[in-house]
């Protein structure tokens, strides 16, 4: 009797430990879900809500003014860049549902390099219908950003530390 009780207890303990060890993959899926949610707000898949993004969280406010916040990935930083030629707006915290850049739906050459010389991005990227290029970059780093469009370029240094801007509207193409 004691052996069978011990066996049952061992099986239950093993099942509990196995379930707990799966929590990391659930967190990974959760982070991917948050990134998808951010993208969905950015491309306009939701109506009747306001969504903004700080360095650490996504904040969604519904039409009844109820706020829901989501933690962002610990190792990635969201930043949205609106290159411009003539018109821009001041911005620090990006509104996924409200900010509008000048050059919507355009293709840009985007080059981003970290302080160690590692190339993070080197590709053509299209701005969304809001005129912004959305990026997930490694946290706690400084980057040199170069954006080219129609024979013009813009260069800037940005960083991804806590409380840094998620909305970059200062890159004028010259």
């Amino acid at each position: 009797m004691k052996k069978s009780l011990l066996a049952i207890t061992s099986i239950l303990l093993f099942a509990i430990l196995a379930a707990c060890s799966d929590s990391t993959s659930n967190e990974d899926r959760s982070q991917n879900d948050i990134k998808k949610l951010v993208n969905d707000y950015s491309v306009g898949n939701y109506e009747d809500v306001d969504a903004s993004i700080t360095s650490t969280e996504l904040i969604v406010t519904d039409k009844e003014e109820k706020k829901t916040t989501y933690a962002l990935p610990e190792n990635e930083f969201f930043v949205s860049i609106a290159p411009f030629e003539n018109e821009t707006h001041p911005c620090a915290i990006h509104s996924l549902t409200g900010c509008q850049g000048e050059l919507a739906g355009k293709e840009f050459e985007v080059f981003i390099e970290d302080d160690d010389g590692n190339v993070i991005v080197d590709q053509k990227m299209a701005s969304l219908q809001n005129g912004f290029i959305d990026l997930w970059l490694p946290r706690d780093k400084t980057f040199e950003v170069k954006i080219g469009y129609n024979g013009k370029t813009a260069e800037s240094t940005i960083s991804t530390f806590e409380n840094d801007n998620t909305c970059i509207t200062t890159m004028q193409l010259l």
Side-chain angles (χ1 to χ4, degrees):
M1 180 83 165
K2 285 186 180 180
K3 286 184 180 180
S4 63
L5 185 57
L6 184 59
I8 291 171
T9 304
S10 296
I11 291 170
L12 287 174
L13 184 58
F14 178 76
I16 290 168
L17 290 174
C20 290
S21 70
D22 217 17
S23 65
T24 301
S25 63
N26 287 336
E27 287 176 14
D28 291 344
R29 273 182 269 159
S30 174
Q31 298 303 319
N32 287 334
D33 291 344
I34 295 301
K35 289 171 75 170
K36 182 183 180 325
L37 193 58
V38 167
N39 182 69
D40 286 346
Y41 285 116
S42 233
V43 299
N45 287 347
Y46 293 97
E47 296 179 12
D48 295 332
V49 296
D50 290 321
S52 60
I53 190 163
T54 70
S55 63
T56 57
E57 61 188 6
L58 168 64
I59 305 162
V60 180
T61 307
D62 68 18
K63 60 184 176 183
E64 283 85 34
E65 299 297 318
K66 180 184 173 227
K67 286 188 179 185
T68 306
T69 60
Y70 303 89
L72 297 181
E74 289 182 20
N75 60 346
E76 291 179 281
F77 187 99
F78 177 86
V79 64
S80 199
I81 301 172
F84 73 99
E85 291 179 306
N86 302 306
E87 296 179 27
T88 190
H89 65 277
C91 191
I93 305 301
H94 186 56
S95 171
L96 298 167
T97 55
C99 283
Q100 183 63 51
E102 177 185 40
L103 300 170
K106 304 295 183 190
E107 189 170 276
F108 299 89
E109 292 287 339
V110 179
F111 182 84
I112 301 174
E113 183 176 69
D114 70 14
D115 275 348
D116 297 324
N118 299 311
V119 175
I120 307 302
V121 177
D122 186 7
Q123 66 185 51
K124 289 183 181 181
M125 299 181 79
S127 61
L128 302 171
Q129 289 306 307
N130 64 3
F132 282 80
I133 301 166
D134 288 352
L135 300 157
W136 289 94
L137 298 173
R139 281 191 180 275
D140 302 326
K141 291 188 175 268
T142 301
F143 300 93
E144 293 301 318
V145 179
K146 295 177 187 174
I147 297 179
Y149 170 74
N150 210 21
K152 299 178 180 180
T153 59
E155 295 185 25
S156 184
T157 301
I158 65 169
S159 57
T160 59
F161 295 94
E162 190 168 342
N163 298 318
D164 277 343
N165 293 349
T166 57
C167 188
I168 308 297
T169 57
T170 54
M171 294 188 70
Q172 185 171 17
L173 296 153
L174 300 170

